[in-house]
Amino acid sequence: MRVVIQRVTSASVTIDDQLKSSIGLGLLVLLGIETDDTVEDIEWLCGKISKLRIFSDENGNMNLSIADVNGEFLVISQFTLHASTKKGNRPSFLSAARPEQAIPLYEKFLSQLENESGRKVYSGEFGADMKVALLNDGPVTIWMDSKVNSESRDALRSKFYSLYSVFRVLGSVFCVQSPYQQLTTNHQPPKKCISPKPNQQSTSG
């Protein structure tokens, strides 16, 4: 699940020349849903977005959340965020979720974001031809992808367990404690250790 977040002083979405939604100060969120997205992706993104401190404080520093400035959200479905441009000049959108899968996740995202932030969440219309107008404040634009986050966690976890396994093997041979074992106060080193045998040089009689 991928989002592009823009800090705005105003934003609106029009469908068939009719104003659908508009906000003042707040965040415009473009939301792209892909085929392997789940509720877990929604929960992680909404938790992050609702607490982002990207509004300026009295000193001009990004230090305030949307709740601190009494802001609002405008969420627009945007499957083109999952465009693949590796081959040719016409983007491919094969990784974007089909409507039957994406619509329930889109609706869940809207309700989850409102619950997480305690702020009003406005939206466009999924699948409609929309005209989006905004006044980006800064400009401030942030890209987030829940899959990048989970893949990074998995990679770090994998590296940790690989190193831990190596230390366990070394510990059984050389009585070396792993960093994890060193942090465990109740850990006792093994009573017996297998020491490598010294090299024996052959002697000629």
Side-chain angles (χ1 to χ4, degrees):
M1 191 168 289
R2 189 170 294 170
V3 296
V4 171
I5 304 163
Q6 299 186 73
R7 187 181 74 179
V8 300
T9 53
S10 64
S12 63
V13 54
T14 301
I15 303 173
D16 294 331
D17 296 324
Q18 298 294 319
L19 180 65
K20 175 68 168 60
S21 301
S22 64
I23 63 171
L25 180 66
L27 296 176
L28 171 65
V29 181
L30 305 179
L31 171 66
I33 301 171
E34 58 183 325
T35 53
D36 55 349
D37 283 336
T38 66
V39 173
E40 184 178 353
D41 297 279
I42 293 173
E43 292 174 346
W44 185 84
L45 277 173
C46 289
K48 281 287 186 181
I49 295 170
S50 61
K51 297 177 179 63
L52 274 181
R53 298 192 302 170
I54 59 174
F55 290 92
S56 300
D57 61 16
E58 64 276 9
N59 297 317
N61 299 319
M62 286 189 189
N63 198 34
L64 302 178
S65 70
I66 193 167
D68 295 327
V69 298
N70 198 29
E72 301 168 312
F73 289 102
L74 176 58
V75 178
I76 304 295
S77 59
Q78 182 79 96
F79 75 92
T80 58
L81 289 179
H82 292 290
S84 174
T85 57
K86 291 182 179 180
K87 295 182 180 179
N89 296 318
R90 183 180 180 183
S92 169
F93 305 104
L94 293 178
S95 64
R98 301 289 300 171
E100 57 270 19
Q101 177 194 3
I103 291 175
L105 292 173
Y106 167 73
E107 293 174 347
K108 173 63 177 176
F109 183 93
L110 297 177
S111 60
Q112 183 75 21
L113 184 59
E114 190 161 284
N115 291 335
E116 285 275 356
S117 65
R119 311 307 305 165
K120 181 64 178 177
V121 176
Y122 296 90
S123 65
E125 181 181 322
F126 189 95
D129 182 7
M130 295 175 281
K131 310 301 181 187
V132 181
L134 68 142
L135 187 58
N136 193 316
D137 180 23
V140 175
T141 302
I142 295 176
W143 176 90
M144 296 173 66
D145 191 315
S146 60
K147 293 296 185 292
V148 172
N149 167 71
S150 60
E151 288 171 2
S152 299
R153 289 200 311 264
D154 292 342
L156 289 173
R157 188 181 296 114
S158 177
K159 289 180 180 179
F160 172 80
Y161 284 118
S162 296
L163 289 172
Y164 178 68
S165 299
V166 170
F167 272 108
R168 288 194 63 182
V169 172
L170 291 174
S172 65
V173 177
F174 299 107
C175 287
V176 176
Q177 288 182 292
S178 71
Y180 176 79
Q181 291 169 334
Q182 293 172 8
L183 291 173
T184 307
T185 55
N186 294 329
H187 175 77
Q188 298 294 329
K191 294 181 180 179
K192 294 182 180 180
C193 298
I194 303 173
S195 300
K197 296 181 179 180
N199 292 330
Q200 296 180 352
Q201 297 180 352
S202 59
T203 58
S204 57

